[in-house]
């Protein structure tokens, strides 16, 4: 199934018109004609089965024939990850996390962060593309970057974890997870969290965890953590 994304479609929509760019892609590249069936999600759990009623490169119009709703999972994954020095590595994390099934992502600015200015416009496009590619009905929420100290002052339900590299008493993440919960996992920058940041997180109820026996890059650690939550709950 090839999936399209249209956030403005809802259950009362009867017809939808794609923008010029998407219309050209559908008609010229994918060679869709009147009568072709398209599948569209609004990123909020709904799948719409649509029929092309006008196949023009400038204006592709579809009629909504059917809508299906996918119930959300009983657990949610919130990955809180410091931006990497090389932007493409963070983009790789976003893509793979969306494919795995992350629900929410927050970039955090830490004491050791080398990248402190983040532009999220391209990040949104990557998440949309990954959602469509993996045939998922929910678009992950991408929050604006925030300083770690400010983030730690917020309240979150469920289990809260921090993965860091300091030689302290830590349990494996997989052994700390209680199933069917909401999860928040902090992943630091290339230079790791500072000791002060770790202590603040612990004081705010975050549990220290390890993600294996090897030292991982920021983006790799984030993927391992995200996948661990999904695996333990399946």
């Amino acid at each position: 199934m090839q999936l399209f994304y249209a956030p403005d479609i809802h259950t009362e929509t009867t017809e939808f018109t794609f923008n010029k760019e998407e219309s050209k892609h559908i008609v010229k590249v994918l060679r869709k004609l009147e009568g072709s069936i398209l599948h569209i999600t609004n990123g909020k759990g709904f799948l719409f089965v649509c029929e092309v009623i006008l196949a023009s490169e400038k204006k592709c119009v579809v009629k909504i024939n059917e809508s299906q709703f996918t119930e959300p999972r009983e657990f949610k994954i919130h990955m809180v990850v410091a931006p990497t020095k090389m932007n493409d590595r963070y983009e790789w994390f976003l893509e793979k996390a969306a494919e795995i099934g992350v629900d929410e992502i927050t970039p955090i600015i830490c004491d050791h962060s080398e990248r402190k200015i983040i532009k999220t416009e391209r990040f949104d496009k990557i998440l949309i593309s990954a959602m469509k590619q993996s045939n998922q009905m929910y678009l992950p929420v991408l929050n604006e970057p925030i300083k770690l100290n400010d983030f730690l002052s917020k309240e979150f339900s469920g289990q809260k974890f921090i993965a860091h590299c300091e030689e302290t008493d830590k349990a494996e993440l997989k052994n700390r997870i209680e199933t069917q919960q909401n999860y928040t996992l902090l992943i630091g920058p290339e230079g790791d969290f500072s000791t002060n940041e770790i202590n603040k997180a612990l004081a705010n109820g975050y549990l220290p965890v390890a993600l294996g026996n090897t030292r991982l890059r920021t983006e790799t650690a984030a993927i391992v953590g995200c996948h661990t939550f999904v695996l333990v709950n399946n």
Side-chain angles (χ1 to χ4, degrees), residues 34-38 49-54 61-65:
E34 278 88 357
S36 296
I37 300 299
L38 302 182
V49 182
C50 310
E51 179 183 348
V52 178
I53 58 175
L54 177 61
V61 183
V62 296
K63 176 180 66 174
I64 313 298
N65 290 337

Side-chain angles (χ1 to χ4, degrees), residues 70-84:
T70 300
E71 292 288 344
R73 298 177 310 199
E74 294 184 8
F75 66 95
K76 292 188 179 298
I77 302 171
H78 184 183
M79 297 299 301
V80 186
V81 185
T84 52

Side-chain angles (χ1 to χ4, degrees), residues 79 81-85 89 92-93 162-167 170 172-174 185-193 209-228:
M79 297 299 301
V81 185
T84 52
K85 182 179 179 181
R89 293 186 178 276
W92 179 84
F93 148 66
I162 178 171
H164 62 81
C165 299
E166 288 195 359
E167 295 298 329
K170 295 178 289 186
E172 289 286 338
L173 174 62
K174 63 183 179 181
L185 175 60
L186 304 177
I187 302 289
E190 281 90 341
D192 199 14
F193 294 111
V209 294
L211 299 173
N213 298 322
T214 60
R215 190 180 183 93
L216 304 175
R217 289 181 179 271
T218 294
E219 69 276 12
T220 310
I223 292 300
V224 169
C226 186
H227 196 219
T228 300

Side-chain angles (χ1 to χ4, degrees), residues 23-167:
S23 295
K24 184 177 181 180
H25 177 71
I26 292 170
V27 176
K28 187 173 183 178
V29 178
L30 300 179
R31 301 183 183 278
K32 299 297 183 180
L33 306 172
E34 278 88 357
S36 296
I37 300 299
L38 302 182
H39 296 86
I40 305 174
T41 182
N42 60 2
K44 303 176 183 71
F46 282 95
L47 173 68
F48 299 91
V49 182
C50 310
E51 179 183 348
V52 178
I53 58 175
L54 177 61
S56 166
E57 291 183 19
K58 295 182 179 180
K59 184 180 181 181
C60 180
V61 183
V62 296
K63 176 180 66 174
I64 313 298
N65 290 337
E66 179 188 349
S67 66
Q68 304 166 6
F69 182 67
T70 300
E71 292 288 344
R73 298 177 310 199
E74 294 184 8
F75 66 95
K76 292 188 179 298
I77 302 171
H78 184 183
M79 297 299 301
V80 186
V81 185
T84 52
K85 182 179 179 181
M86 302 300 293
N87 213 38
D88 61 339
R89 293 186 178 276
Y90 204 81
E91 292 175 358
W92 179 84
F93 148 66
L94 292 171
E95 178 183 74
K96 301 312 174 188
E99 291 178 18
I100 292 168
V102 71
D103 297 283
E104 186 173 359
I105 298 166
T106 301
I108 47 167
I109 309 303
C110 306
D111 290 343
H112 298 159
S113 291
E114 295 189 58
R115 180 181 291 274
K116 296 182 183 290
I117 299 176
I118 303 100
K119 298 179 180 179
T120 58
E121 293 86 355
R122 178 170 162 79
F123 290 173
D124 286 318
K125 293 179 180 179
I126 290 171
L127 291 174
I128 291 170
S129 177
M131 175 194 67
K132 291 161 56 179
Q133 187 277 329
S134 55
N135 281 337
Q136 298 193 66
M137 301 302 127
Y138 287 91
L139 178 66
V141 174
L142 176 63
N143 298 316
E144 288 298 314
I146 185 173
K147 292 182 179 180
L148 177 60
N149 285 340
D150 294 333
F151 182 86
L152 291 176
S153 66
K154 297 178 179 291
E155 289 294 329
F156 296 99
S157 63
Q159 291 189 287
K160 303 186 296 184
F161 305 100
I162 178 171
H164 62 81
C165 299
E166 288 195 359
E167 295 298 329

